Amino acid sequence: DVERQGCAFVATTMLRDAVGHTISQSKGMINPNYTLDHFVNHLEPENYNQRGIFNTQIDYMLYNRGPRNEQNATKYEKVRRAIEILVRHFDVVMVSDYARFTEIICRITGWTCLKMKHANAFKGQLNFTERELRKIKDLTEANGDNLFIDAVKHVYYGHLDYLLVDSDEQPSGNKQVQ
């Protein structure tokens, strides 16, 4: 419908580091009565198909707010499916590159870029124990979230392309090897 009006529909998404995303979700959505263990309980391997208090990025990409991973897919299969969805359905995919994202959106839309103040910022204190941070890291790793962000960086940024070519060739991605 949009195209018939002479416009283009551009699907965009901005992703974040998996551990940072989970920490951000916990500080903004955690019930004061919940412990971090309760908040991330649905990410425990034995709870692979439970819907949790929040969605990780890969789970949201694959299951939205529905039941998680009812087929008990491996993290590698989840990453493959999520990358396939991104490639098929999104025109602009960024990882924590807000300035570049803004530049691309302004160029696509023809809008004048405005300086926006950072309004979505947590002003409280973040207090995580080493055990809690390790738990977040381990659970996001086991769920496929860290691998997903690495795959996005590889597909969209040429991350690690230098490992795939002979020393005399240039990589196919965006980065140049010096």
Side-chain angles (χ1 to χ4, degrees):
D1 229 17
V2 171
E3 283 81 13
R4 281 190 285 150
Q5 297 175 16
C7 298
F9 179 78
V10 178
T12 66
T13 190
M14 172 74 72
L15 301 169
R16 294 180 61 189
D17 163 72
V19 172
H21 178 264
T22 301
I23 288 171
S24 178
Q25 293 298 303
S26 73
K27 72 176 189 236
M29 298 172 59
I30 198 164
N31 178 319
N33 298 322
Y34 289 163
T35 64
L36 182 75
D37 290 334
H38 180 80
F39 184 73
V40 298
N41 184 57
H42 69 289
L43 294 178
E44 294 287 353
E46 66 273 11
N47 300 330
Y48 68 87
N49 64 347
Q50 291 182 11
R51 186 171 156 190
I53 296 167
F54 80 105
N55 286 82
T56 67
Q57 294 168 112
I58 193 170
D59 287 345
Y60 188 79
M61 181 69 59
L62 295 172
Y63 316 114
N64 201 292
R65 290 294 298 155
R68 289 177 62 240
N69 201 7
E70 290 183 305
Q71 292 2 188
N72 197 16
T74 67
K75 69 180 181 179
Y76 303 104
E77 180 61 17
K78 288 171 63 174
V79 169
R80 187 196 64 73
R81 290 178 188 169
I83 292 294
E84 184 178 293
I85 288 169
L86 285 175
V87 169
R88 278 189 185 170
H89 301 288
F90 287 84
D91 303 298
V92 178
V93 175
M94 305 295 285
V95 178
S96 297
D97 192 348
Y98 303 100
R100 180 85 174 119
F101 187 78
T102 302
E103 177 189 324
I104 289 170
I105 295 302
C106 289
R107 195 170 31 189
I108 289 170
T109 61
W111 296 339
T112 302
C113 287
L114 302 173
K115 177 80 174 157
M116 294 180 68
K117 65 180 181 177
H118 192 75
N120 185 18
F122 181 68
K123 304 224 183 330
Q125 250 187 336
L126 294 176
N127 296 312
F128 290 93
T129 66
E130 185 175 338
R131 183 198 70 80
E132 289 172 328
L133 290 173
R134 170 58 51 199
K135 182 170 191 159
I136 290 171
K137 185 177 183 317
D138 291 347
L139 289 175
T140 55
E141 179 64 38
N143 193 51
D145 296 282
N146 298 333
L147 190 60
F148 174 54
I149 295 303
D150 283 346
V152 168
K153 288 177 181 177
H154 177 71
V155 170
Y156 290 93
Y157 291 84
H159 180 66
L160 301 179
D161 275 1
Y162 66 92
L163 296 174
L164 302 175
V165 297
D166 292 331
S167 60
D168 296 339
E169 297 177 25
Q170 287 295 314
S172 59
N174 298 331
K175 296 192 179 208
Q176 297 292 314
V177 177
Q178 301 297 327

